[in-house]
Amino acid sequence: MLLRFTKMHGLGNDFMVIDLVSQHAHIQPKHAKQWGDRHTGVGFDQLLIVEPPQNPDVDFRYRIFNSDGSEVEQCGNGARCFARFVVDKRLTVKRKIKVETKGGIIELDIRPDGQIRVDMGPPRLVPAEIPFQAEQEALSYPLEVDGQRVELAAVSMGNPHAVLRVDSVEQAPVHELGPKIEHHPRFPQRVNLGFLQVIDRRHARLRVWERGAGETQACGTGACAAAVAAIRQGWMDSPVQIELPGGRLSIEWAGPGQPVMMTGPAVRVFEGQVRL
């Protein structure tokens, strides 16, 4: 059978989006791995699947698979593309949408200027909820990696993140430390790693190594986690502008217990069909 799909991106973090509301198919991890190959498939960082809700209080269910076939809980750039997709495909007429994800319920607001504002919910900071192995909650944690000690923050935005402050994102050892910390035994579900360079109280630069995908052009949940870590440690003040290789996101956070609000673009690239 042939499945219709849309290729989209949020600041260069790219997605294959499939509507399983009007189409019917059983997508498996092997399909994500096959289609995600940039040489022999469609090519993407993540596969996004739009499904009818299981919860009667929300509008849609949203599933996310990395290009290695692993299913993940949350994706901020994907959430913005999801919102643009369901409106463009006339699956809803709402401008404010509630979506059920593996990491919890999020709210999406499509603004008149085309930017999409996402209520990502409150960050989770208790180590067991991230999950991260630590005796108690702290602003940052020491971690031993190949005999060297690094100091990082640990935050969950529905998926686990570590944030490491660096002097320069250009010189940051993203491809050396990224896979090692992703698979560190103190992160039992693996982790996304953000390399954060603080420019001033309102601006920062960020590169992110995403579990199951490697370095991406942008990571929405990574930008949220980096903003939370920087605000908690007194380096920055909300709202903050986070510059990623693919572009800029605006992040607002009022403090513990409050939701993280992310605003940024979502772009449709092309339409296609794939054989299942």
Side-chain angles (χ1 to χ4, degrees):
M1 66 176 292
L2 289 175
L3 275 177
R4 299 184 306 277
F5 73 88
T6 301
K7 183 70 184 291
M8 304 187 74
H9 78 87
L11 302 183
N13 187 191
D14 63 335
F15 309 98
M16 177 182 181
V17 191
I18 295 179
D19 160 24
L20 291 187
V21 175
S22 64
Q23 302 181 109
H24 301 283
H26 178 57
I27 307 297
Q28 301 177 51
K30 67 178 182 181
H31 297 127
K33 194 171 183 179
Q34 174 187 341
W35 299 334
D37 190 290
R38 295 191 183 276
H39 300 287
T40 60
V42 176
F44 52 75
D45 292 322
Q46 280 92 21
L47 169 66
L48 310 182
I49 299 177
V50 184
E51 297 182 344
Q54 295 181 336
N55 181 337
D57 296 326
V58 302
D59 299 298
F60 297 97
R61 184 174 181 229
Y62 159 43
R63 297 180 69 197
I64 310 149
F65 289 89
N66 284 328
S67 56
D68 69 353
S70 57
E71 186 171 4
V72 295
E73 305 91 343
Q74 188 56 276
C75 176
N77 289 321
R80 298 197 314 279
C81 288
F82 181 101
R84 172 64 57 204
F85 178 86
V86 296
V87 169
D88 287 353
K89 294 297 181 182
R90 295 180 172 84
L91 297 176
T92 183
V93 295
K94 294 181 178 179
R95 306 301 286 185
K96 293 188 177 181
I97 307 163
K98 292 183 74 171
V99 179
E100 174 187 4
T101 76
K102 193 176 179 183
I105 293 172
I106 59 174
E107 297 188 14
L108 315 173
D109 182 5
I110 303 171
R111 293 167 41 166
D113 62 0
Q115 294 277 299
I116 298 168
R117 180 178 168 90
V118 185
D119 180 342
M120 298 294 294
R124 300 170 193 169
L125 304 170
V126 176
E129 296 178 358
I130 294 173
F132 174 63
Q133 294 178 2
E135 291 184 0
Q136 59 186 16
E137 182 183 330
L139 293 178
S140 64
Y141 305 89
L143 194 74
E144 293 290 330
V145 184
D146 283 353
Q148 71 174 24
R149 173 177 163 144
V150 297
E151 192 79 16
L152 49 78
V155 180
S156 172
M157 289 305 310
N159 56 351
H161 287 271
V163 181
L164 179 65
R165 186 172 182 177
V166 297
D167 294 329
S168 165
V169 289
E170 281 95 352
Q171 298 175 12
V174 176
H175 292 265
E176 293 74 35
L177 277 183
K180 292 175 181 176
I181 293 180
E182 175 190 351
H183 294 278
H184 197 283
R186 289 180 67 187
F187 290 99
Q189 294 180 12
R190 297 189 293 164
V191 73
N192 305 286
L193 179 61
F195 295 80
L196 177 69
Q197 176 187 351
V198 176
I199 305 300
D200 58 38
R201 303 292 301 182
R202 300 281 187 179
H203 299 85
R205 301 178 69 193
L206 182 70
R207 290 172 66 187
V208 181
W209 177 272
E210 292 196 50
R211 57 177 181 166
E215 185 179 9
T216 56
Q217 288 294 297
C219 177
T221 54
C224 292
V228 167
I231 293 166
R232 286 186 82 214
Q233 298 191 66
W235 304 334
M236 302 184 75
D237 302 309
S238 179
V240 302
Q241 302 294 315
I242 304 287
E243 289 281 355
L244 298 120
R248 175 180 293 187
L249 290 172
S250 177
I251 312 293
E252 301 168 55
W253 185 53
Q258 298 301 307
V260 179
M261 309 300 294
M262 172 186 63
T263 304
V267 178
R268 186 174 68 235
V269 183
F270 65 84
E271 308 283 334
Q273 291 183 319
V274 66
R275 189 174 299 279
L276 183 63

